[in-house]
Amino acid sequence: MPNRRATLLAFAVPLLTSCIPLSAVHAEDSTLQLTSVPGPFRADAATFKTYQAPDWFRDAKFGIWSHWGPQSVPRAGDWYARNMYIYGTDQYKHHLEHYGHPSKSGYKDIIPLWKAEKFDPDALMALYKKAGARYFVSMAVHHDNFDLWDSRFHEWNAVKMGPKRDIVGDWKKAALKAGLRFGVSEHLGASYSWFAPSHGYDQAWPMLGVPYDGADPKYTSLYHRPTDQPYRNSSTWYTTDARFQQEWFNRITDLVTRYQPDLLYSDGGIPFDKVGRTLVANFYNANAAKHGGKLEAVYNHKDIGSGEFIREAGVQDVERGVMDGINPRPWQTDTSIGDWFYSEGYKYKSISEVVHMLADIVSKNGNLLLNVVQYPDGSLPPEPMRFLKEMAEWMAVNGDAIYGTRPWKVFGEGPTKASSGHFNENAAYTPQDIRFTAKDGALYAITLGTPGTEVRVQSLGRKAGLEPRPIKTVTLLGSPAPLSWELSDEALTIRLPAGRLDTMAASFRVTFQ
């Protein structure tokens, strides 16, 4: 189609020729050069009101994320590249003990140690697909300012250094081969302020005042220029430095142009006002052109931090948390079964915790994006391997209650109330906590725990008034045994087959006349 080809070229050509602009638009700084892709979306918040999450995302429900890179090398957890420059922190002490003082041996010296020598994306993707993932997200760049693709605008990238391979490209090939949708996450927006400690120095003798390697002008392209806007709290997550905003726009545009992902995730609100809105509009317009006018793209952003949160602009992401009720718009939880980057001794989530979160999230119109922690070499620790096996077993039986479903009239019932918001994911559910999903005229009731001899579903009792249709059948997913059940004013009471039900969450399918 000529129009589709012209649109894609309009997006790609300026980037491949040193970002020559089609238009230069920025209210605050006329030096910014932002390419614009023709289409229905523009860098105007009002145009995003037409956005609707695509069916593939609403049906998928469960995705797996690879939050992996050079910061895995020290095996000391998340935010290592920043915290190793903060005097007295555990990661500073770890770096001093294992790699030397950060004035001489800094994060730049960690990067070559990331070899990814056991990274087998096809084998990993097969495990993720079997465990039930319907989409996969590759981290493309973290706050450490290291690109995991063959970046045209940044020399610090995984093709030129470290593993010397296109990590994002290899993940995409594996995901498409496995039949999964593919996404990328970018955490670059916060990097400029986040990395400011690399320009500091020790706060005590014997190295008091000796600058860290981030202050060396030779490494400005990795550690950024000195800034008087260091990250201190959510209000300083994104910088106002126009030069870095232009760099962010160029690099993330290069990323989405080259790999054409189905999903783009920003770790915060939409970065940099009109700069970010332009990029999101371009992402949507190019995706629609690729799919003959049908928009298949998802943009994840959050309502925390200094970025712009426009509810209609994409799919809201809640980090390590859930919502307390059914959200009218599709949304997503992102979390990890361990620390974000591999950390020795970190306590992993159990399979029951993840399954209960998944059921709760899906009942409220959400998806779960789960980070599966990798060793620095790219292989999986034993805990994630065990989790994937157990998740595959549960999904094989219960997937019908998850995939392709929509919320029912209420999300659930039970004594446990999950708090809403980021960084709040530790609800202790019981078998009396039940979550509902609906599909093809049937209702699914999922117990968030191992039920005993019977299950009482109060929301289906006559007094609740939620379901006027007479019940036709009640079945337990994965069990051929017939169930005995009784409907009263108070509840639908389901009596279970003899013998212990060995599952951390049982799914019942209820059909109606």
Side-chain angles (χ1 to χ4, degrees):
M1 297 176 61
N3 290 340
R4 170 181 163 186
R5 178 180 175 85
T7 301
L8 290 175
L9 286 174
F11 195 19
V13 169
L15 291 168
L16 305 184
T17 55
S18 302
C19 212
I20 300 170
L22 294 179
S23 61
V25 285
H26 195 264
E28 292 78 20
D29 194 317
S30 61
T31 63
L32 281 163
Q33 297 182 330
L34 308 179
T35 58
S36 295
V37 174
F41 295 96
R42 301 183 304 279
D44 176 357
T47 69
F48 292 115
K49 290 183 178 179
T50 63
Y51 176 79
Q52 296 290 327
D55 287 341
W56 76 258
F57 182 81
R58 299 197 68 191
D59 292 341
K61 305 303 181 188
F62 180 51
I64 283 180
W65 191 8
S66 173
H67 203 282
W68 178 55
Q71 289 181 94
S72 303
V73 169
R75 300 174 174 239
D78 195 24
W79 280 30
Y80 186 90
R82 170 185 167 86
N83 293 342
M84 60 162 282
Y85 291 105
I86 300 177
Y87 180 81
T89 63
D90 288 343
Q91 286 160 314
Y92 170 91
K93 296 173 184 175
H94 179 94
H95 193 83
L96 198 64
E97 179 181 352
H98 292 86
Y99 305 104
H101 193 267
S103 63
K104 300 176 182 177
S105 178
Y107 187 63
K108 69 181 187 307
D109 303 293
I110 294 292
I111 289 171
L113 304 179
W114 184 45
K115 300 294 188 183
E117 59 270 28
K118 295 183 181 179
F119 176 45
D120 186 343
D122 287 334
L124 292 171
M125 204 65 65
L127 291 174
Y128 300 158
K129 182 177 182 179
K130 189 173 182 180
R134 293 291 175 89
Y135 60 108
F136 175 85
V137 177
S138 166
M139 188 175 71
V141 52
H142 199 253
H143 312 313
D144 66 347
N145 199 30
F146 187 78
D147 292 348
L148 304 190
W149 76 96
D150 189 11
S151 178
R152 292 184 180 272
F153 294 96
H154 193 50
E155 62 183 340
W156 295 88
N157 69 70
V159 174
K160 291 184 174 65
M161 303 176 185
K164 295 187 178 179
R165 62 188 291 185
D166 185 350
I167 300 297
V168 174
D170 288 349
W171 275 129
K172 179 182 179 179
K173 291 174 187 175
L176 297 186
K177 181 178 177 181
L180 274 60
R181 293 281 185 159
F182 178 71
V184 293
S185 69
E186 69 86 11
H187 312 244
L188 179 62
S191 179
Y192 192 84
S193 301
W194 183 90
F195 229 163
S198 66
H199 292 260
Y201 49 82
D202 281 5
Q203 303 301 305
W205 297 104
M207 301 293 284
L208 176 65
V210 177
Y212 299 145
D213 69 330
D216 189 331
K218 288 189 298 185
Y219 306 115
T220 297
S221 58
L222 175 63
Y223 299 113
H224 309 297
R225 297 176 299 276
T227 177
D228 58 359
Q229 293 180 293
Y231 166 70
R232 294 188 179 93
N233 51 50
S234 61
S235 66
T236 56
W237 191 239
Y238 293 139
T239 182
T240 59
D241 187 297
R243 290 173 295 175
F244 181 72
Q245 293 178 9
Q246 181 73 65
E247 180 182 351
W248 176 87
F249 182 85
N250 291 349
R251 285 164 63 183
I252 303 307
T253 300
D254 177 43
L255 171 69
V256 297
T257 302
R258 184 185 300 266
Y259 300 99
Q260 300 180 25
D262 301 298
L263 181 149
L264 172 64
Y265 166 112
S266 285
D267 191 13
I270 300 174
F272 314 131
D273 303 314
K274 196 169 187 177
V275 180
R277 292 197 302 272
T278 301
L279 188 138
V280 175
N282 288 348
F283 174 53
Y284 284 162
N285 290 336
N287 180 273
K290 176 183 175 182
H291 292 97
K294 182 181 179 182
L295 183 58
E296 289 281 280
V298 172
Y299 177 65
N300 290 144
H301 66 306
K302 305 175 184 180
D303 63 350
I304 55 173
S306 57
E308 189 174 21
F309 177 67
I310 305 173
R311 193 173 302 278
E312 299 87 356
V315 172
Q316 180 178 357
D317 183 87
V318 181
E319 182 173 350
R320 288 196 184 270
V322 299
M323 292 193 176
D324 56 6
I326 297 173
N327 197 49
R329 299 181 65 87
W331 59 282
Q332 176 180 271
T333 287
D334 76 273
T335 190
S336 177
I337 62 172
D339 202 348
W340 287 114
F341 289 98
Y342 180 73
S343 183
E344 294 282 3
Y346 200 90
K347 185 180 183 297
Y348 288 83
K349 285 182 175 66
S350 67
I351 179 65
S352 60
E353 288 178 286
V354 175
V355 165
H356 296 166
M357 280 191 71
L358 175 66
D360 178 66
I361 290 163
V362 171
S363 75
K364 298 171 181 175
N365 205 25
N367 285 22
L368 174 60
L369 177 61
L370 183 71
N371 177 50
V372 174
V373 181
Q374 291 170 254
Y375 280 136
D377 64 15
S379 62
L380 298 180
E383 295 89 349
M385 286 293 291
R386 182 166 59 250
F387 162 79
L388 291 169
K389 177 179 180 296
E390 293 170 339
M391 192 70 178
E393 292 169 354
W394 190 84
M395 282 296 222
V397 172
N398 298 276
D400 196 44
I402 300 295
Y403 301 124
T405 61
R406 297 294 183 266
W408 191 51
K409 298 170 184 178
V410 295
F411 69 85
E413 64 182 53
T416 307
K417 304 300 179 186
S419 298
S420 180
H422 302 269
F423 310 109
N424 199 345
E425 59 177 355
N426 297 316
Y429 295 109
T430 72
Q432 289 71 49
D433 292 299
I434 298 173
R435 295 295 180 262
F436 301 118
T437 61
K439 180 172 63 178
D440 299 331
L443 173 68
Y444 296 88
I446 308 170
T447 67
L448 305 189
T450 305
T453 58
E454 67 178 31
V455 174
R456 285 172 53 83
V457 185
Q458 297 178 31
S459 298
L460 287 176
R462 296 190 187 96
K463 285 183 178 177
L466 293 172
E467 183 51 71
R469 297 173 296 172
I471 293 175
K472 182 179 180 181
T473 64
V474 180
T475 55
L476 173 63
L477 297 190
S479 173
L483 300 179
S484 172
W485 55 272
E486 179 183 357
L487 182 64
S488 68
D489 288 345
E490 284 70 34
L492 168 66
T493 301
I494 307 169
R495 296 178 181 86
L496 300 183
R500 181 177 180 274
L501 187 61
D502 188 19
T503 179
M504 81 289 293
S507 302
F508 297 90
R509 186 174 188 267
V510 183
T511 64
F512 303 93
Q513 295 181 16

